[in-house]
Amino acid sequence: LQVTQWDTPDPAIIKDPFYSHYLNDNTIPTFDTVTTEKLLSASFYNYLFDNTMEQEKTRQIISEWIKANGGKITRNIGKSTKCIIIQGKYKYEHVLEDHKNNRDVYSDKDVLAFIAKK
């Protein structure tokens, strides 16, 4: 099951079957709802070292909007980071850790849609 999950379109949260089977965690992982407050302190998760041209264009659009609205993009995920923007695959256990640290996890497509509405 996990191997087939890696074939899903980007962005995606990949959940190890261990959580459902052994920990009785049957939730379906979803991205958080985008908010301006958290988006203004963001970091991109680098799933791949070589991003596609489309991913780079998306990253540039999002980065410009955040900077134009007084926010910042951090290079590394740290204490000041309030959200992570995913452009590839992200493991469910990382989402759980981010939520413990009061960080939201956003899909780059959801962020683009949010920006388009503003």
Side-chain angles (χ1 to χ4, degrees):
L1 175 64
Q2 188 175 12
V3 172
T4 59
Q5 287 179 326
W6 287 101
D7 293 336
T8 60
D10 290 340
I13 297 173
I14 305 299
K15 184 176 183 183
D16 189 322
F18 170 83
Y19 285 91
S20 299
H21 185 72
Y22 292 105
L23 299 179
N24 201 25
D25 181 351
N26 295 314
T27 57
I28 297 171
T30 58
F31 290 103
D32 297 310
T33 303
V34 180
T35 64
T36 303
E37 177 193 346
K38 293 216 174 187
L39 187 57
L40 293 179
S41 178
S43 184
F44 286 93
Y45 174 71
N46 292 320
Y47 168 68
L48 299 171
F49 292 110
D50 296 322
N51 292 326
T52 65
M53 292 297 287
E54 181 183 341
Q55 288 173 323
E56 287 298 327
K57 184 178 176 183
T58 299
R59 186 178 285 215
Q60 182 178 3
I61 291 167
I62 293 170
S63 297
E64 287 174 1
W65 186 90
I66 291 171
K67 290 175 185 174
N69 286 281
K72 65 178 179 172
I73 303 286
T74 57
R75 286 187 164 264
N76 298 316
I77 300 168
K79 290 182 180 183
S80 66
T81 306
K82 294 184 180 178
C83 77
I84 313 239
I85 302 170
I86 307 302
Q87 291 186 292
K89 306 289 191 276
Y90 201 59
K91 291 184 178 181
Y92 179 65
E93 53 264 30
H94 293 197
V95 173
L96 296 176
E97 188 64 30
D98 289 326
H99 286 170
K100 282 182 188 174
N101 291 312
N102 200 28
R103 285 189 293 262
D104 284 353
V105 178
Y106 299 152
S107 155
D108 65 338
K109 293 179 182 6
D110 291 344
V111 173
L112 283 178
F114 178 82
I115 289 171
K117 290 180 184 178
K118 293 287 180 179

